[in-house]
Short mmCIF file of all heavy atoms in Angstrom, two decimals:
data_model
loop_
_atom_site.label_atom_id
_atom_site.label_comp_id
_atom_site.label_asym_id
_atom_site.label_seq_id
_atom_site.Cartn_x
_atom_site.Cartn_y
_atom_site.Cartn_z
N HIS A 185 103.72 -57.22 -21.20
CA HIS A 185 102.98 -56.87 -19.99
C HIS A 185 103.37 -57.79 -18.83
O HIS A 185 103.54 -57.34 -17.69
CB HIS A 185 101.47 -56.96 -20.26
CG HIS A 185 100.62 -56.61 -19.11
ND1 HIS A 185 100.47 -55.33 -18.63
CD2 HIS A 185 99.85 -57.41 -18.28
CE1 HIS A 185 99.67 -55.33 -17.59
NE2 HIS A 185 99.28 -56.56 -17.35
N LEU A 186 103.50 -59.08 -19.12
CA LEU A 186 103.88 -60.02 -18.06
C LEU A 186 105.30 -59.75 -17.58
O LEU A 186 105.57 -59.93 -16.38
CB LEU A 186 103.79 -61.45 -18.65
CG LEU A 186 104.11 -62.61 -17.72
CD1 LEU A 186 103.15 -62.62 -16.52
CD2 LEU A 186 104.10 -63.93 -18.45
N ALA A 187 106.17 -59.34 -18.49
CA ALA A 187 107.57 -59.08 -18.12
C ALA A 187 107.71 -57.99 -17.06
O ALA A 187 108.71 -57.96 -16.32
CB ALA A 187 108.39 -58.71 -19.34
N GLU A 188 106.73 -57.12 -16.98
CA GLU A 188 106.79 -56.04 -15.96
C GLU A 188 106.77 -56.58 -14.55
O GLU A 188 107.24 -55.91 -13.62
CB GLU A 188 105.59 -55.10 -16.18
CG GLU A 188 105.62 -54.35 -17.51
CD GLU A 188 104.39 -53.48 -17.70
OE1 GLU A 188 103.56 -53.44 -16.79
OE2 GLU A 188 104.28 -52.83 -18.75
N LYS A 189 106.30 -57.81 -14.37
CA LYS A 189 106.25 -58.43 -13.05
C LYS A 189 107.42 -59.36 -12.80
O LYS A 189 107.50 -60.02 -11.76
CB LYS A 189 104.95 -59.21 -12.90
CG LYS A 189 103.68 -58.40 -13.17
CD LYS A 189 102.44 -59.27 -13.18
CE LYS A 189 101.19 -58.49 -13.55
NZ LYS A 189 99.98 -59.36 -13.62
N GLY A 190 108.35 -59.46 -13.77
CA GLY A 190 109.43 -60.41 -13.66
C GLY A 190 110.61 -59.92 -12.87
O GLY A 190 110.84 -58.71 -12.70
N SER A 191 111.38 -60.87 -12.37
CA SER A 191 112.62 -60.55 -11.65
C SER A 191 113.77 -60.37 -12.63
O SER A 191 113.95 -61.18 -13.53
CB SER A 191 112.95 -61.68 -10.68
OG SER A 191 114.27 -61.55 -10.19
N PRO A 192 114.60 -59.33 -12.43
CA PRO A 192 115.73 -59.09 -13.34
C PRO A 192 116.93 -59.98 -13.06
O PRO A 192 117.91 -59.90 -13.79
CB PRO A 192 116.05 -57.61 -13.09
CG PRO A 192 115.63 -57.36 -11.69
CD PRO A 192 114.42 -58.23 -11.47
N THR A 193 116.88 -60.77 -12.01
CA THR A 193 118.05 -61.55 -11.61
C THR A 193 117.94 -63.05 -11.75
O THR A 193 118.93 -63.76 -11.69
CB THR A 193 118.43 -61.21 -10.16
OG1 THR A 193 117.33 -61.54 -9.31
CG2 THR A 193 118.78 -59.73 -9.99
N ARG A 194 116.75 -63.57 -11.97
CA ARG A 194 116.57 -65.02 -11.91
C ARG A 194 117.14 -65.73 -13.13
O ARG A 194 117.83 -66.73 -13.01
CB ARG A 194 115.10 -65.35 -11.73
CG ARG A 194 114.86 -66.85 -11.58
CD ARG A 194 113.43 -67.16 -11.28
NE ARG A 194 113.21 -68.59 -11.21
CZ ARG A 194 112.00 -69.17 -11.12
NH1 ARG A 194 110.89 -68.40 -11.06
NH2 ARG A 194 111.89 -70.47 -11.05
N PHE A 195 116.82 -65.22 -14.33
CA PHE A 195 117.27 -65.86 -15.58
C PHE A 195 118.12 -64.87 -16.39
O PHE A 195 117.85 -63.68 -16.39
CB PHE A 195 116.11 -66.35 -16.42
CG PHE A 195 115.25 -67.39 -15.78
CD1 PHE A 195 113.97 -67.08 -15.34
CD2 PHE A 195 115.72 -68.68 -15.61
CE1 PHE A 195 113.15 -68.04 -14.76
CE2 PHE A 195 114.91 -69.67 -15.00
CZ PHE A 195 113.63 -69.34 -14.58
N THR A 196 119.09 -65.43 -17.10
CA THR A 196 119.88 -64.61 -18.03
C THR A 196 119.89 -65.29 -19.39
O THR A 196 120.31 -66.46 -19.50
CB THR A 196 121.34 -64.46 -17.54
OG1 THR A 196 121.32 -63.82 -16.25
CG2 THR A 196 122.13 -63.58 -18.53
#
Side-chain angles (χ1 to χ4, degrees):
H185 180 71
L186 181 62
E188 295 177 2
K189 305 173 184 177
S191 167
T193 59
R194 184 175 178 189
F195 298 109
T196 301

